[in-house]
Amino acid sequence: MTRTARIYASVPPNEAQRARFEAFLKKKYGEDIALEFHESSLFPGGFRLEVGAEIYDWSVNGRFRQLRDTLTQVADEEGSIIPLMKETLGSWTPAALAEEVGSVRSVGDGIAVADGLAHAEYGEILLFPGGVRGMVQTLDKDGVGCILFGDDAAVEEDATVRRTKKRAGMPVGEKFLGRVVNALGDPIDGKGAVKAEGYRPIEAPAPAIIDRQPVNRPLETGLLAIDSMFPIGRGQRELIIGDRQTGKTAIAVDTILNQKGKGVICIYVAIGQKASSVARLVETLRSRGALDYCIVVNASAGESASMQYIAPYAGCAMGEYFMERGKDVLIVYDDLSKHAVAYRALSLLLGRSPGREAYPGDVFYLHSRLLERAAHLSEARGGGSMTALPIVETQGGDVSAYIPTNIISITDGQIFLESSLFFAGQRPAVNVGLSVSRVGGAAQTQAVKKAAGAIRLDLAQYREIEVFTQFASDLDDATRRQLVYGQGLMRLLRQKQFHPMARHAQVITLVAALRHAMQNIPPEQISAFREEMLAWFEQNCAELCERIQKTGQLSEEDRALIEARAAEFAAQYAAGGAAQDAEGASAGDRA
C-alpha cells in the first residue's frame, strides 16, 4: 500500500517544488510516497510536511523553534550560552529535521497515554503543552504510557505531545552542596537558583566488576554498637530495617554528622516523608555544621508518586558525579518501602499486572538497579566510592515480607532495630542476633577490630542467660557475674542521639569494658561512668587518644596502658561513689 504525505501551506506547491518534495521523500524513505496538499493559513512563510507520525515544520515558527533548541543544546553542553551565541547564530542554517509528535489519548492520576509515537524509547522525556514533562514507562503496540512531572490538569486529551529524544536527567555540581532540591534538581529552600556544572541521566549502568575494588576502607558511623560489631565500609550497601519509630533515621543522621571533617559528601533522599520532618532534619544538619557537605533531595508525601519514584535515582546521579571525581559519598534512601509503594501505584495505573502483595513483578529490579550503583571504584576510575544506607520499614518486625526480603538479598548486610529494645530504653535498638555486615572486619580499623574482641559472643551469651534466668530464682555466682557483665555491656552500647563517638573514644570504651573494668559499676551508672572516664583519658592521656585517632592502630603497649588506666579510674570512681554513699548515710543519721 502506498504511503501518503500531507503538505499544509497557504498556497499549493508548483511543479518544481512538488518534484523536490518527491525527491526528498524518495531519498528519505526509499519508496514512492503520494503527496496530498491541504490549504492552511497556520503556516505563514513556509509549509508543514507530515509523513505518518513524523513532521517537518518549515514554517517561520518551526524554524524559530529549531533555532531555540539548538541554542538550548549549546547552553547544556557548554554551561554558558553568552560566549557562543554569536558563533552559533552565524553558523546556523535550518535543516530538514523530522519531529515526531503524537496526541494524548487519556490523562489522569499523573499518567498520560499517547498515540502516534512509534519510535519513543523507554525512559525518554516527552514534552506536553504548558511545559509539562513526562517520562515513558510503558511501550505498547497501541500507545505509549508515561508518568507526568507536573500538574496533569494542564494536559488535555487530544493535546500534542512531542519527543525530546533525551533521557531523564539531573543537574549536578559542587554548588548543590548545602542545598535542598526536589527530584528534578530544582531548589526548594528559598535560596535562589543553583548553577549546575553538568547534567547526568538518572538511570545509569552500575560499575562493572573490573571497575571496582574491594570494600576495605571504613566509613565510621560514630555509633559504638555498629562500628564495633557491624562495620560499614566505603562502597558498601548496608540496610537499616525496623518498625516505625524505632530510630532508623536517627542512625542515618548520626552517621552523616560523624562525617564532618572526613571529606565524605552526604546525600539524604527523603521519599514520602512529612515536609515538617524533613525541615526539622535540615535544621538539625545546619545547626550542627553538617549541611555544608550535604545535599537533601526531597520528594515529600505531598509530591506525586512520579516524583517519589525518581527521587532516589536523582540522588544517586548526584552521588555518582562526585564518586567519579575520586570523592567518597554517603547516600541515605529514606525510605525504600515508600518508594516501592509509589512504584506500585504508578504500575497499577499503567495497567501492569500485580503479583505478590500487589506489587508488579519487576519491583525487585526497581531497587537492585539502584543499589548496585553503590561501589568502591578502582584506582583507574579515580578510586572514589559511594556508600548506600537504604532504610526499610517493617510491620510488626516481619522481615520476611516481600519488599524487606528483596532488599535484604540485594544489600551487603542489615542493621535490624527491634521495637522491644527501643521501648526498653536501648538506643540505638540494634538486635545483635539479626544484624550482620557481610563486609565485616575488612572495613574496620585495626584498633577497633582489636578492641572489640569477642563482644558479639559475650552479648549472645548474655541474651541466652537472660532468657534462661526468667524461669530461675537461684543463680550461682558465675552466672550472676555473667548476667551483670552483659547488662553492663548493653548499657554501654546506649548512645544519645546526635552524639557520635570518635574513634579513640570507642577503642578506650571497648578495651575497658571487655577487661571487666566496669564489672563493679552499677548498670544504671554505666553511661555516666563512661563519659567521665573518656573525659579523664582525654585530659590525662592526650597523646594516646591522638595516636589512636590518627593512625587507627592499637599496639599492645597502648592496650595495656588503657587497661591499667581504666582499672585505676574505675577504682577511683567506685571509691568516690562509696564515699558519697557514706556521707549521705551520715547526713541522714544527723537528721
Side-chain angles (χ1 to χ4, degrees), residues 453-473:
I455 185 171
R456 284 195 69 181
L457 181 60
D458 291 346
L459 286 172
Q461 291 174 346
Y462 161 69
R463 293 293 293 268
E464 290 183 3
I465 293 175
E466 184 185 35
V467 172
F468 173 74
T469 54
Q470 292 178 355
F471 308 100
S473 58

Side-chain angles (χ1 to χ4, degrees), residues 40 109 132 255 258 262 266 341 359 375 381 393 416 461 537 553:
S40 174
D109 297 317
V132 177
T255 304
N258 195 52
K262 297 181 179 179
C266 301
V341 169
Y359 288 100
R381 290 282 303 273
E393 183 179 302
F416 181 72
Q461 291 174 346
F537 263 91
Q553 302 292 318

Side-chain angles (χ1 to χ4, degrees), residues 396-414:
D398 183 14
V399 296
S400 64
Y402 190 34
I403 299 302
T405 51
N406 278 353
I407 302 177
I408 285 173
S409 66
I410 296 168
T411 51
D412 305 313
Q414 69 274 350

Side-chain angles (χ1 to χ4, degrees), residues 41-176:
S41 60
L42 299 177
F43 307 101
F47 60 88
R48 176 184 173 109
L49 176 65
E50 294 185 359
V51 186
E54 294 186 342
I55 295 175
Y56 301 87
D57 194 344
W58 204 256
S59 64
V60 173
N61 290 335
R63 283 174 283 182
F64 179 77
R65 184 167 57 248
Q66 192 180 132
L67 174 60
R68 181 195 61 195
D69 294 342
T70 302
L71 293 176
T72 303
Q73 183 177 3
V74 171
D76 289 343
E77 293 175 354
E78 303 295 337
S80 174
I81 192 172
I82 301 302
L84 298 168
M85 183 175 289
K86 291 183 179 180
E87 179 183 347
T88 302
L89 288 173
S91 61
W92 178 78
T93 55
L97 299 177
E99 184 180 19
E100 190 171 349
V101 299
S103 60
V104 177
R105 184 203 306 168
S106 62
V107 61
D109 297 317
I111 302 294
V113 179
D115 294 326
L117 300 174
H119 300 94
E121 299 177 357
Y122 181 85
E124 181 181 351
I125 292 297
L126 303 181
L127 191 61
F128 292 83
V132 177
R133 286 171 286 177
M135 184 168 69
V136 176
Q137 287 290 289
T138 301
L139 299 172
D140 295 327
K141 289 188 295 184
D142 57 346
V144 172
C146 67
I147 58 178
L148 299 178
F149 305 125
D151 185 8
D152 59 8
V155 181
E156 299 178 350
E157 291 186 13
D158 297 326
T160 300
V161 54
R162 302 178 184 275
R163 288 185 62 195
T164 64
K165 300 180 182 178
K166 292 182 178 180
R167 308 279 292 181
M170 184 75 169
V172 295
E174 298 277 350
K175 300 295 184 181
F176 282 92

